[in-house]
Amino acid sequence: MVLLRQKMLLLAANLLVPIGALVFMTGYFRGRPSTPAPAEVIADRRLAADSAPFDKVVFMVIDALRSDFVYAENSGFTFTQELISSGAAVPFTARAASPTLTMSRIKAMTQGTSQSFLDLWLNIANSPNAARQSNVDTWLSRLKGEKDPDKKMVYYGTKTWLMLYPEIFDRHDGVDSYYVPDFTIVDQNITRHVPEEMQKDDWKALVMHFPGLDHVAHQGGPYSAHMLPKQKQLDGVVRQIYNAIEQQPHMKDTLFVLAGDHGMNEKGNHGGSAPGEIASVLTFISPKFRSVSKGLKCPAKATPNYEYYSVVEQVDIVPILSGLLGFSIPVNSLGMFASDFVRLFRVPQDGLRFMLGNAWQMLNLFKTKIDFSSAMEKSSLCEADCSWCPSDESEIACLWGNVSRANDDWERSKESNPPGLIKSIDHFSRAVQRYLSVPLNNLHTMRLMVGIASLVVAMVLLLVGASFSRIPMDSGVLAFGLLVSLHAATMFVSKLVEEEHHYWYWASIAWMVYIGIKSIMGGQPWLWAAIPTVLQYLTQCWNQSGDTTYPMVDLIHDFLFRYPILLWTLALAAYVSSANSLANTLGMGTLISRLISSVLCVMAAIFKLCVSQRDNPELLVFAPQWLRTSMLEVDQTQLLRIMWTCMLGCAVCLVVRLKLSTQASKRDAMTGALELANLYLMLQSRPKNLVLYPIFDLQLQWFLHSATLTSSEISLTSLVLAQSSFYATGGSNSVASLDITNGFNGIQGYNVTAVFLQTVLSNWVGPVWWTLGGLRLLLAWLEDRDVISPQKATEYQNGSTAKVTGNGNGHTNGHSIAHQNRNGTMRGSRSADIDKAQATQATPTAAAVTSRGANSGTRARSGDVFFEYLTLHTFYTASSSLAVMLACVWLRDDASLWTVLAPKYVYVGLWTVFQQLLINFGLCTFIWCLVVS
């Protein structure tokens, strides 16, 4: 009855943790609160349509077009650079707001408003009903309703636009852009429409969105061998459209806009707010611009922040298009018109009037947020140039006063280009934009409280369940409490949240040092005891994480990619090691076991080589051309599915053998199952990270054969190394670190559930590996005490003979295990001879049987040990999630809520649902019950 009560409490806690996290998320990630339309309509400020310099627009969006891809040297956009140099193109760097995701950026470019992290989930879900923006005011709807009603709105590109605005486009052809491995056909399906559309005169807007460059970046990074050819291909589209504008009479008043929705980081990912992620291209192209521009030097010198030429906000696209095409600005737009284009209007004064109309529109939007009359009164306290004001609101009121006075002066002087008025409007508009662009809290308080309460209840249930078991307060539990408490405190410091990997790196090193000291005190040589610490430091030098740059990481990265044959030698060694270990555990006879394990690992290596040739051919430059060509002809999906089928067959054989054969070893079955999982995790890793698996395994083997760990210390070791390995494999608390490269392995098309799970798994390979590795440590701990079933536990409690290796101090997992394998392999299960030798060792007294660690209580049953393992992991997940929730509530008015804590909470959701519920509780319980219980 007690055991059943423990299980029910643990089950309830593991359900409450993800439920609470998801409920909190629904109250946290909500859309922007609706903004009422300004009551005042400035009809006389609208620009007359016949004064606008253009009557149609080609809006070409290239996904992830970072500013340096067009403006800097070594670019494939050579024709576009020529246009900039000649004055036919006016370049800007457009700053995108976080989150830098396609759906958010499309909304910003069409609505002129900042977006929320709710778009992250909408971006993943790819659901038309969830993404639909019905009756939303955009430049698309304004252009459709106000200009040339007989002309059509045309769209070709990613289906995201059609999901957002299904009622806007009269002619369209959407492409599925979520199958990332395809970066060729997806763009060709768009470009094939360009020649035909250039001949037609029945449209007023042609919108195109090319996803191919983004796919190249996700697969191989910004410096992929495929990047330059892709840029040249898209530059050819620019040339094709510009030539049509120059040569076709019906195209002469066409505005051509080349824009990126966001940039990317050095890994080719995006979603965060790093300089490379927020800096995108925005170039306005037309022969008409030569009348107002003499051209700019292009390519330009590279800049570290990716800012080239004039810098504007991405939302500024909306009023710029409104002014240049002659339709009214969407009512909630936060964009400001660029003064560069004032002289382009047919009537020079119309450009200034439009800027004033834009300023009035922003003022009316500002008035919906504050008491403007009060702000005007306080503005009298400001300096004459508004450089010092008692509040942001009074500063904006002061700047509006300057605009009004400058406007009055212009009306009297009738200057064609009054610099004072333009400067005043710019200062006012930018101040309002900064004020209104701050993400607004739209938190649902009740849901937040329910989420927090759920996790508090879960923690209480875990503590109650632990009180029913025989979990003593030993060193492992005390260290766990200290670790959890310190980690929770760091969640209230935004910088420590951004750089969380520092905490886990130092915590893991400290724990490895503790284990090493404990081994030295048990008689191990100090050089041998230092191995796990050295290996742990090496894993931390493998990938960059967070904003801090480590020279050692760059050194290793540069060396391996300068000599890729060394990288592949180490990676293939990982496969050989895995094949050897798997062969020792399959139990199908030496020849058959080695044949099957070798075939599986060869298939895995071939798959990884073929994928690398497709996505990162620069990693295989040393291979002969015929071999590289052959790799491209391999059906990777079919190969992977065959391999998965073979792996499943091996898993079934392991279970059948364990259940039916008296010769089967639980340790062999556990090792074999986890080696199959290890092989699958390697398939989901980038080539560079394959080298980490042998390092992880060396650490695990050291713990198996040399450490004197208690069961609680095993749980803590697994937890610490799981957290540290997440960052060691390249993870961070930025959305941009989510790597989607391996999410499509073995999957054709976009199956949202399968791709999502594989994508998350490919980013959590380290934590999954160490969580499963903890099961091997627990089983070894139990077998060394011969406590593997409730029946055995009863025998022990009745004073039966026990076959336990130990010493008088109770270190039952210490020197005996080290001696067993000192001259043997560091991998795989122990040999039958060693098992036999163990079985014939002298039997200890009852006191020795009941000892664990230094005078600690015993785990009489395997269920107790596994219960403790799950309890500690679940308690950490609950406490760390609760800390982030409380930090979100405590810092709800702080700017870091959306820039730091929002991305962190995205990871909280993934840790609780995927790692804790599916892996820690689901998968580990399944394997443990199948193999041990």
Side-chain angles (χ1 to χ4, degrees), residues 3 103 135 159 193 216 276 401 527 635 688 764 796 802 900 917:
L3 182 59
M103 185 172 291
N135 302 318
K159 291 180 180 178
H193 295 285
V216 170
L527 282 176
D635 188 338
K688 181 184 177 184
W764 261 258
Y796 292 143
V900 178
L917 183 63

Side-chain angles (χ1 to χ4, degrees), residues 213-227:
L213 186 140
D214 182 56
H215 291 186
V216 170
H218 280 302
Q219 296 293 105
Y223 309 111
S224 165
H226 297 294
M227 182 59 74

Side-chain angles (χ1 to χ4, degrees), residues 271-323:
S273 56
E277 296 172 61
I278 65 174
S280 60
V281 166
L282 179 60
T283 303
F284 295 87
I285 304 172
S286 171
K288 290 186 177 184
F289 289 127
R290 290 197 176 101
S291 64
V292 296
S293 173
K294 295 181 179 180
L296 296 168
K297 182 181 178 181
C298 194
K301 184 180 294 186
T303 62
N305 58 0
Y306 301 97
E307 292 184 354
Y308 299 85
Y309 309 112
S310 298
V311 179
V312 298
E313 300 301 320
Q314 195 175 57
V315 293
D316 293 343
I317 292 174
V318 174
I320 292 175
L321 290 178
S322 297

Side-chain angles (χ1 to χ4, degrees), residues 534-554:
V534 174
L535 292 175
Q536 183 62 17
Y537 176 75
L538 182 59
T539 64
Q540 296 172 7
C541 294
W542 211 250
N543 286 291
Q544 298 284 6
S545 182
D547 296 331
T548 306
T549 301
Y550 296 96
M552 180 62 73
V553 177
D554 288 337

Side-chain angles (χ1 to χ4, degrees), residues 884-896:
V884 178
M885 290 179 178
L886 295 175
C888 290
V889 175
W890 181 259
L891 301 172
R892 59 188 177 276
D893 296 322
D894 193 277
S896 64

Side-chain angles (χ1 to χ4, degrees), residues 717-726 766-768 770-771 873 911 915:
T717 299
S718 171
L719 173 64
V720 168
L721 294 181
Q723 294 290 326
S724 175
S725 64
F726 173 76
V768 172
W770 275 112
T771 300
H873 277 267
W911 277 105
Q915 178 65 27

Side-chain angles (χ1 to χ4, degrees), residues 372 376 396-406 428:
F372 189 67
M376 285 298 294
I396 291 174
C398 176
L399 291 171
W400 177 250
N402 290 348
V403 172
S404 299
R405 287 188 291 272
F428 167 78

